[in-house]
Amino acid sequence: DRQAKKRFPAAAWTELLVASSTKPRLVGEGDIVADFDPAQGEGLSLESVVCEAPQHLSGAAARYTVLRQRKKDDPSSPLLPRLTSASQIESYVSCPLCWFISSRVRPQTLDAGFGGMEKGNFVHDVLCRLHQVLPEEGIERVTPENLDRALSVLDRVFDEVRAEHAAGKTPSSAPLVPLSSVESAQIDEILPQLNAAVRYEARALAPFKPAYLEYSFNDLGVTYAGYPLGGRIDRVDVDGEGRAVVIDYKHRADVNQFKLSDPSIVDKDGKRPIDDPRWLPEHTQTLIYAQALRRALGLDPAAALYFSTKGNRPAMRGAASDALVDPEHGDGMVPGLRDGFPGAGGSWTFDELLDYTEEGIAQRLREMEAGVVAASPDQSGRCAFNHPFGFTRREA
């Protein structure tokens, strides 16, 4: 249009136009009957339909917020909740309305994208492939001693995954396909960033080793907060004592948003986050999977981390047992992570954080099943993209 925004034909209008025996008078949406009915609407009854209030689901619709299914081999079995991934749970806890728009309404764009999601998928595929290939090269984990060899393998893996994405082949939801020299240059810029990420790995989490890559919960029958849990963990590192670290890749530069301090610590106003009965960590995905690892694999979770892979200063942030933190530079297993559980002046262990989070999420999932899709009072950045869909009401 005149503002250079993309516009597309209305499919329903086009179909009506083609099927019409007479050329309609295109005079506006309000006169559709007059446009397409040769009798000009004579004899038709007129009814007014009043929509539900914004952000409210009727009882008939609310039962579909938690999708259900029968066992594949038993069509007479009762309907049971489908698997819910940790990312879906985190989305709902953050803002029920945004979750409803993204996961149930699911508006889709017509064109393939070349943005943060596609770049994140590409980085995820490269790092997953890298840690699958490194053991074949005799490298169980990246260390300062084998770093040069690991970086050489990274170069090869990067080119392989790049070619696969260009052909539209990826296990992720959307490939990174460049359609111009500018976009190809943006992919070139990712390799130095991944080099920096691998260098960071060489001095982090010793003696942990990558043990589970793209680990799926879908067929394990694991429950979390009273509901069956599905989805995949990007990576789980394990040490010789059976301690586990959950790692989720995030291709973004600002990793500090994933920091989590002990909520039992009193702030300068004399309050604690857990004084709010509805308090939950802003980011719960890795915490959910850390808790689930206990039940699925019998491991002892020691940290739930997010690994920033963008920019020249990669880092890991999240929640960890105090045995893994870095109170003084170079002193811990996670460089740069200085606050653990329990924190200074706090009382919560990492295990207590996992248990409390599960109890709080159980309450939110019961609200989901009841059809609660109202917007969160504390809006996040993504709310600006989703809320217009949920706030606009048009009666007919």
Side-chain angles (χ1 to χ4, degrees), residues 167-180:
K169 298 178 180 178
T170 171
S172 304
S173 56
L176 184 65
V177 181
L179 300 179
S180 67

Side-chain angles (χ1 to χ4, degrees), residues 8-151:
F8 301 94
W13 183 271
T14 302
E15 290 295 323
L16 286 170
L17 183 62
V18 172
S20 175
S21 59
T22 60
K23 186 174 179 60
R25 298 175 294 106
L26 307 181
V27 295
E29 184 178 306
D31 290 319
I32 289 179
V33 173
D35 283 342
F36 289 97
D37 183 11
Q40 300 293 295
E42 182 179 351
L44 293 180
S45 62
L46 180 63
E47 297 182 5
S48 177
V49 178
V50 179
C51 298
E52 290 282 351
Q55 304 187 67
H56 173 73
L57 296 179
S58 67
R63 62 194 182 99
Y64 293 106
T65 53
V66 174
L67 302 179
R68 300 174 182 274
Q69 63 183 6
R70 304 184 193 278
K71 293 182 180 180
K72 294 180 180 179
D73 55 350
D74 186 3
S76 62
S77 63
L79 288 169
L80 300 173
R82 290 187 182 181
L83 299 175
T84 302
S85 69
S87 59
Q88 287 263 353
I89 294 172
E90 180 177 308
S91 175
Y92 181 82
V93 170
S94 174
C95 179
L97 177 62
C98 289
W99 167 84
F100 179 70
I101 295 298
S102 300
S103 299
R104 292 296 178 262
V105 178
R106 302 186 68 179
Q108 302 291 326
T109 58
L110 297 179
D111 298 322
F114 193 87
M117 181 183 71
E118 290 78 18
K119 291 177 181 178
N121 289 341
F122 176 77
V123 167
H124 175 277
D125 289 350
V126 171
L127 291 177
C128 181
R129 179 78 59 82
L130 172 67
H131 287 288
Q132 288 173 337
V133 171
L134 284 178
E136 299 174 2
E137 303 288 334
I139 301 176
E140 291 187 338
R141 61 157 284 130
V142 181
T143 65
E145 292 73 26
N146 60 35
L147 178 59
D148 289 341
R149 289 175 55 206
L151 292 175

Side-chain angles (χ1 to χ4, degrees), residues 341-358:
F341 285 79
S347 60
W348 271 23
T349 65
F350 183 69
D351 289 345
E352 287 174 320
L353 169 68
L354 298 182
D355 293 339
Y356 181 94
T357 300
E358 182 172 18

